[in-house]
Amino acid sequence: MRRPMAASAPNWLHVDTEDEVRPQLTTLSSCMTLSDVQCDGYVRLLAADISLDDAAEEPSATLKVFRGLKLKQEQPLPGIPTAIESLYIDESEPKTPVIAVAIAESVLFYRHLKPYFKYTIPAQDSEDLELEVWRKLPVMKQDAHPALLESLQNIDHAKLSRKSQRLLQLSEEEREAFITTHRDSAVGRGGSIVAMCCLKRISSDANPPSHLVLATDSGSVLILEPQGFNLVFEGKTCADETAVPSLISVQGTYETDFCIVVATRNGGVYLLRKTQSEGQEIFKLGTPLTGLLLLPIDQTIIASTMDNRYLCYSKRGKLLYQVPLQELPVCILPLPMTHLGLTLVAIALKGGVVKFYLQRYLVDEFALSETVDAMLYGRMGMEDHVLTLVTQSGDIVVKILRRVSRFDPKPGDLGNKRSGSDHSSIVDASILDKPKKSSIFVEQAAREKQQAKATYGSFQVELWRLRLTAARATIDAINSSESTISGDLTHAPVKLSAEVCGSGPAFRLYLTVQNLSTFKMASNLVVLLHADRRHYTVPQTLARLPSVLPGVPLRVDFEVVAVLDPMDKLPPASLSPDNSQIRVMLMKAGQAKPLIAAAVSMPQSEAAF
């Protein structure tokens, strides 16, 4: 049952449930996602419920699936997840999402909520001293082990492998059994995944296949392609090994260009691009960050810090504005509203207040009874704009955006921002008075003027990459349809046969189209011929076919003329059996992929004397 609450903001409708027992959830924003896991058009909430019960020996986690606010399915996880993402790995219909769960050094993929694939990040090379110690430990006497373990303690703890770290934690009585058990295991320094998000391959489709972006505690940034989950990009956050990533945000597409913004635990924020293998430091703060966003429209970087500030930077590291907050920001979330043409930023503060900002202006807010630990926004169920909040005690609060919602800056807040003289809030008034789009245009024009050669070269590279991608897609579509019988199950099966008559230079190509179905009619068919212009001329390359009835073959003919040398009236020397072919494609009107693609070998033409 849906009803507006008196205490809620007027732009949001509170979703209430009639169930007496409300579901409880302990999670983070990164461990929540929305997905159509059942492929029925109903988007469900998936979240990792992290159990921190003191009575248990160690923390555990469970993947829970909610239909609305009702728990429908749950599955135990082998560890505490870092992040959960829902992505599509192919374009086959019906599109089935895959759930990616990052745990320690692995990413577990679930399809139909069943284990599907496991990817483990590459292990790093261990120190030579550690390898030498593990080579000597199994063969030397127990009296020599303390000296070897003392040499292991001289190595930085973060550079040791996990089994060496575990060995140093054990007592003397347990070390001998541990060495015997793990004497043959590999000595590898494997990192852990600390952040994960999705990067779309292209932006034209509604649900395109997405690449997976991983950030590890060793500072590496990895990108996995969706088909085989292979590593296609590997970068480094920065040269400093002590900079451990904590937050990550991605914008763009893999096929064109993308930007990856990484925040580290020491307050540094770095930017990686497709053409860079190492991040560039944008800015560095003295306090840790609690949230990081890269907004899609104006490409500005939003950050919230533990000193109660809401900051906005450009990609060049220029502070555009900052807003002081009354309480500590717990989590931050972007709210893209395409129907309104804007993107809001939601900030959950300690104490239960959730504020919504449009750039630096406060446009909406509401308060809950306790602090919000996690937020998620997107399509849920049959509604497009749903905000899900999880409180500190585990309650799930769902709010739906009203159809007639408006987000206008408050008059008092707008006046204070423009007339205020507090430099801690506003850095430079000249920057704020100038429209942002005008500033971006002026900066871009000046950049292109200063780097004309590099800009033109980059444009040519992307243009040729686009042409190459289009050519590959065309070839793949044609090669996948090379058969004499159509394999598309959504249409009536059609068979194509060809016959060439004549001795040259004029030939007659007869095509016979036969409907193999017993009850379904094949309609809206088009025949397209493609030939090498250096060898053959086809006056009519396209023919629209009438409806083909079951059991009644349709015969259509084309004229093909061989190109001869005007001097000796013989075929050109470049003509060979490999290129003396005419490609025939049977297509359905309105579809780019052909139903049937076949190559017809042409006979040798006689001389025209």
Side-chain angles (χ1 to χ4, degrees), residues 28-29 35 43 69 146 159 174 205 215 262 266 294 330 360 362 372 387 402 434 466 469 529 532 545 609:
L28 302 173
S29 297
S35 178
V43 181
L69 290 176
K159 296 183 179 181
E174 299 173 332
D205 297 345
V262 182
N266 56 8
L294 178 59
V330 179
R360 63 185 180 276
L362 178 65
V372 175
L387 179 63
R402 297 183 61 181
K434 186 186 297 182
L466 177 62
T469 303
L529 269 61
D532 192 342
L545 305 183
F609 295 115

Side-chain angles (χ1 to χ4, degrees), residues 62-181:
T62 305
L63 181 62
K64 294 186 176 182
V65 182
F66 295 88
R67 180 182 173 90
L69 290 176
K70 295 183 178 180
L71 179 62
K72 289 297 181 181
Q73 190 173 352
E74 57 183 339
Q75 182 169 343
L77 296 174
I80 304 300
T82 303
I84 295 178
E85 291 289 343
S86 173
L87 68 154
Y88 293 91
I89 61 174
D90 52 32
E91 297 181 352
S92 60
E93 296 290 345
K95 290 186 175 182
T96 303
V98 171
I99 308 302
V101 183
I103 299 177
E105 73 279 359
S106 303
V107 181
L108 308 179
F109 295 91
Y110 294 86
R111 194 166 190 172
H112 300 294
L113 296 178
K114 296 180 180 179
Y116 177 69
F117 190 80
K118 179 181 179 181
Y119 174 82
T120 303
I121 60 176
Q124 298 180 349
D125 296 333
S126 300
E127 297 287 334
D128 295 336
L129 178 58
E130 183 183 5
L131 296 174
E132 183 67 18
V133 168
W134 274 102
R135 188 181 65 83
K136 294 179 179 180
L137 277 175
V139 296
M140 296 186 68
K141 295 182 179 180
Q142 189 174 359
D143 299 339
H145 288 178
L148 296 176
L149 295 179
E150 185 178 355
S151 62
L152 278 181
Q153 293 177 351
N154 297 329
I155 305 175
D156 188 6
H157 186 76
K159 296 183 179 181
L160 290 175
S161 63
R162 291 193 174 182
K163 73 173 186 177
S164 297
Q165 295 176 358
R166 180 60 178 166
L167 177 63
L168 295 176
Q169 296 173 354
L170 298 176
S171 61
E172 295 182 1
E173 295 78 10
E174 299 173 332
R175 287 176 179 174
E176 190 66 27
F178 184 85
I179 294 173
T180 305
T181 305

Side-chain angles (χ1 to χ4, degrees), residues 398-409:
V398 178
K399 293 181 178 292
I400 300 178
L401 185 68
R402 297 183 61 181
R403 301 289 192 271
V404 293
S405 59
R406 295 185 62 183
F407 296 97
D408 297 325

